[in-house]
């Protein structure tokens, strides 16, 4: 039913209101347009800052309230929207926008993942969001996201890059187009724009979060940035180096061998934080001391006798060599046009690269080295297949065939990522599109913007070391003191890429970001909760480079029994 059109208190009043007054202000929203009135609505191209052919609402569906406490939500209008391309041969950008009847005057945009191609669940949670708090929709946010401008091909998810406009949309243009379209429809629905806007994303979505912060610094007031693949072209080249190493004869470790490696690392490094809890918290010390060629598993060498492949409980020399490639950085023969000179190695020792198991473990395995050795043609890849090539290898293969060479028959294993030769210029051009590595965030800060950034130390798909490197670059270029005014970076021990069976993180990042942006309360004593390995156990979120050390007394599953320290030894 249509409500009388009326504007509520202006943004400046809402920003200055006490929290209680803000709650009163949003309790009885005034709807300028009903859900049915938005059906078929057209958004002019002039309302979208980047070139499009305009947009239209393809479906407007009233959805009743639901959910299970505490993650309930009220009734909302679910809009499906298509943003038309300029190039008629390019696919449209498909997006969804959830517009709650009880609006809190704020907006939340969700990022995507991988090569995108699917619309995020706007009724769902932020990455690593907590199960004991409402989702953004349940909090009253208008929530939106898009497929970034193409529908995913489950077999060849990178094939959209044939089209230049689709490639530009994926790189980041679709972010601006989606945001501007959403703001137009939010104003149509409520009669006013959002007072606050936030972005939340992980992996590719984390890169997208940094993209909007860097390129459109006045569009969002805060960003939740998890395991961001910000230097995407550089990461792709590291994927290529790792893939070529894993493709060597005898180099691909089985699931059982990877389980043995993980167990050996846990035996060597678990206690470095003072607690034996199957979580390696002092990851830097483990990186420095663990060597699979010399390590033990249950008292016996992890290396197979004479380095030969003699069984699933040990690693051959060929497998150790490939894993050490995973652990070490790639250095380019010349810097990319984006300025990137290489990409770090991964925290390989203690990271779950895949092992036998189903459920969450199967997801971890598919995001890791999966089950099939890379070869040409590349075996099926991605999370939609029970058997497949490593995610890294599939990503590299798609990028080389569709982004770089645009030759679907090209053998990606023949391209040396350290010596690009005739492909250098093309990769340089892609790096300018895909790498989101600017460190001058002063315009975002001037707009009152804040960033909460976190990354699991056991991420098998985006290197934690790369995120730490970006954080340090921002500190270097903006100053440590200034950086602390708007950015926090946390590393989460044991957490993998979006999922983990060692420590699956859940963090109430939305409340922390709201408090910082809206009330000026900087985050402190943040807690992260495990939801899989030991459901309910907690750890403190430590600001990088600190990590949680056990105090020596108290419940080992309680965050209060740990203190954040910075030295490798754990001494204060």
């Amino acid at each position: 039913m249509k409500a009388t059109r009326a504007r509520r208190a202006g943004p400046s009043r809402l920003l200055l209101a006490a929290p209680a007054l803000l709650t009163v202000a949003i309790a009885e929203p005034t709807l300028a347009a009903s859900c049915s009135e938005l059906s078929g609505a057209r958004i002019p191209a002039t309302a979208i800052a980047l070139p499009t052919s305009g947009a239209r609402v393809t479906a407007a569906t009233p959805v009743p309230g639901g959910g299970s406490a505490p993650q309930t939500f009220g009734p909302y209008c679910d809009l499906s929207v298509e943003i038309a391309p300029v190039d008629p041969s390019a696919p449209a950008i498909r997006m969804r926008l959830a517009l709650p009847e009880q609006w809190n005057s704020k907006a939340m945009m969700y990022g995507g993942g991988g090569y995108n191609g699917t619309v995020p669940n706007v009724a769902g949670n932020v990455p690593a969001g907590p199960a004991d708090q409402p989702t953004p929709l349940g909090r009253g946010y208008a929530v939106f996201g898009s497929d970034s401008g193409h529908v995913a091909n489950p077999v060849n998810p990178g094939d959209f890059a044939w089209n230049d406009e689709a490639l530009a949309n994926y790189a980041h243009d679709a972010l601006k187009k989606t945001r501007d379209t959403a703001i137009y429809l939010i104003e149509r629905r409520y009669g006013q724009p959002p007072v606050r806007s936030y972005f939340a994303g992980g992996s590719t979505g984390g890169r997208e979060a940094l993209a909007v912060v860097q390129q459109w610094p006045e569009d969002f007031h805060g960003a939740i940035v998890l395991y961001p693949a910000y230097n995407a072209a550089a990461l792709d080249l590291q994927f290529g180096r790792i893939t070529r190493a894993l493709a060597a004869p005898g180099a691909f470790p089985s699931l059982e061998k990877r389980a043995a490696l993980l167990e050996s690392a846990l035996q060597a490094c678990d206690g470095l934080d003072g607690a034996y809890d199957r979580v390696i918290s002092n990851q830097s010390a483990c990186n420095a001391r663990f060597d699979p060629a010399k390590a033990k598993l249950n008292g016996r060498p992890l290396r197979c006798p004479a380095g030969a492949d003699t069984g699933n409980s040990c690693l051959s020399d060929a497998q150790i060599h490939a894993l050490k490639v995973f652990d070490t950085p790639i250095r380019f023969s010349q810097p990319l046009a984006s300025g990137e000179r290489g990409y770090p190695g991964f925290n390989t020792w203690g990271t779950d690269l895949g092992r036998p198991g189903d459920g969450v473990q199967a997801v971890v395995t598919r995001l890791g080295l999966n089950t099939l050795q890379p070869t040409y043609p590349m075996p099926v890849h991605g999370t939609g297949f029970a058997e497949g090539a490593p995610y890294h290898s599939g990503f590299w293969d798609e990028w080389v065939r569709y982004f770089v060479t645009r030759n679907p028959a090209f053998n990606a294993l023949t391209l040396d990522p350290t010596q690009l030769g005739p492909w250098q210029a093309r990769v340089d051009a892609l790096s300018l599109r895909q790498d989101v590595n600017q460190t001058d965030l002063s315009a975002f800060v001037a707009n009152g913007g804040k960033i909460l950034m976190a990354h699991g130390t056991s991420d098998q798909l985006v290197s934690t070391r790369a995120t730490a490197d970006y954080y340090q670059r921002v500190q270097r270029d903006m100053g440590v003191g200034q950086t602390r005014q708007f950015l926090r970076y946390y590393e989460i021990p044991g957490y993998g890429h979006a999922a983990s069976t060692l420590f699956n993180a859940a963090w109430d990042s939305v409340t922390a970001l709201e408090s910082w942006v809206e009330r000026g309360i900087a985050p402190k004593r943040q807690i992260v909760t495990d939801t899989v390995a030991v459901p309910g156990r907690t750890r403190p979120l430590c600001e990088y480079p600190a990590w949680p050390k056990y105090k020596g007394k108290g419940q080992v599953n309680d965050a209060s029994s740990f203190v954040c320290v910075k030295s490798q030894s754990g001494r204060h």
Side-chain angles (χ1 to χ4, degrees), residues 43-420:
I43 299 87
T46 54
I48 304 169
L50 295 180
T52 71
S53 297
R56 67 184 180 93
V57 176
T58 58
T61 307
V63 180
S68 301
Q71 293 196 325
T72 56
F73 53 86
Y76 66 96
C77 179
D78 187 354
L79 298 184
S80 295
V81 186
E82 286 189 358
I83 305 172
V86 175
D87 175 2
S89 66
I93 299 169
R94 298 179 309 146
M95 60 175 285
R96 280 184 63 199
L97 173 58
L99 298 169
E101 289 187 7
Q102 300 293 319
W103 186 43
N104 67 2
S105 301
K106 296 185 285 189
M108 176 74 74
M109 182 174 181
Y110 285 168
Y115 278 126
N116 288 343
T118 59
V119 180
N121 177 16
V122 294
N125 216 338
V126 300
D132 61 352
Q133 296 291 330
T135 64
L137 180 61
R139 296 170 188 245
Y141 278 87
V143 188
F144 59 94
S146 82
D147 65 0
S148 85
H150 64 275
V151 176
N153 178 337
V155 177
N156 294 118
D159 65 358
F160 66 90
W162 277 107
N163 182 278
D164 284 338
E165 187 171 349
L167 173 55
N169 280 333
Y170 168 73
H172 42 61
D173 285 4
L175 299 169
K176 180 61 173 172
K177 297 173 183 178
T178 301
R179 179 266 176 192
D180 288 357
T181 301
I183 296 302
Y184 182 91
L185 290 168
I186 288 171
E187 289 198 59
R188 281 283 304 273
R189 169 72 159 167
Y190 302 111
Q192 70 171 65
V195 172
R196 299 289 193 194
S197 292
Y198 299 111
F199 193 106
S203 194
T204 289
R207 175 182 65 83
E208 292 169 339
L210 291 176
V212 298
V213 162
Q214 293 171 23
Q215 298 187 45
W216 303 286
E218 296 183 355
D219 283 357
F220 294 90
H221 301 95
I224 297 166
V225 183
L226 267 69
Y227 34 92
Y230 72 93
N231 45 355
L235 173 58
D236 281 321
L237 293 167
Q238 174 71 309
F239 282 171
R241 175 173 171 264
I242 293 167
T243 294
R244 284 159 58 94
L246 290 169
F252 188 70
S254 67
L255 292 172
E256 292 78 12
K257 286 174 175 288
R258 283 175 259 160
L261 171 65
L262 176 59
E263 190 63 34
S264 176
L266 286 168
Q267 290 177 10
C269 301
D270 182 11
L272 295 176
D273 58 4
Y276 289 91
D277 55 2
R278 297 190 64 78
V279 175
I280 298 171
S281 294
N282 192 351
Q283 186 65 54
S284 60
C286 188
N287 292 342
R289 70 182 286 170
F290 188 86
D291 181 349
K294 301 176 182 178
K296 299 292 183 66
L297 174 61
N298 300 324
R300 302 181 64 180
L302 178 63
R303 178 177 179 257
C304 295
D309 193 342
T310 58
N312 277 329
S313 61
C314 63
L315 297 175
S316 70
D317 283 350
Q319 292 150 5
I320 289 172
H321 172 76
L323 289 164
K324 287 189 173 182
V325 169
F326 201 85
D327 173 59
T328 53
I330 183 174
R331 300 298 182 201
F332 306 144
S333 58
Q334 64 185 71
L336 301 181
S338 66
E340 296 297 317
R341 297 177 176 273
Y343 191 89
F346 289 73
N347 292 331
T348 309
W349 322 130
T351 289
D352 186 349
L353 298 174
R355 49 190 174 140
D358 54 16
V360 175
Q361 182 58 54
V363 175
V364 173
T365 295
R366 291 170 193 165
L367 290 172
L369 300 190
N370 215 334
T371 58
L372 301 178
Q373 184 173 26
T375 187
Y376 178 79
M378 191 64 67
V380 294
H381 39 268
T383 57
F385 304 96
E387 298 281 329
Y391 198 99
H392 320 74
S393 304
F395 217 84
W396 165 251
D397 183 67
E398 297 287 319
W399 191 68
V400 169
R401 292 191 296 133
Y402 295 109
F403 285 63
V404 180
T405 68
R406 287 180 161 170
N407 175 5
F410 192 92
N411 181 356
L413 295 176
T414 65
L415 180 57
D416 183 349
T418 64
Q419 299 286 341
L420 293 168

Side-chain angles (χ1 to χ4, degrees), residues 21 34 74 92 174 181 185 194 209 264 278 310 352 367 372 394 409 411 423 430 432 468 487 520 531 541 557 560:
L21 294 178
S34 68
T181 301
L185 290 168
S264 176
R278 297 190 64 78
T310 58
D352 186 349
L367 290 172
L372 301 178
N411 181 356
W423 302 109
L430 288 168
L432 293 174
L487 172 60
T531 64
L541 266 183
N557 292 329
S560 64

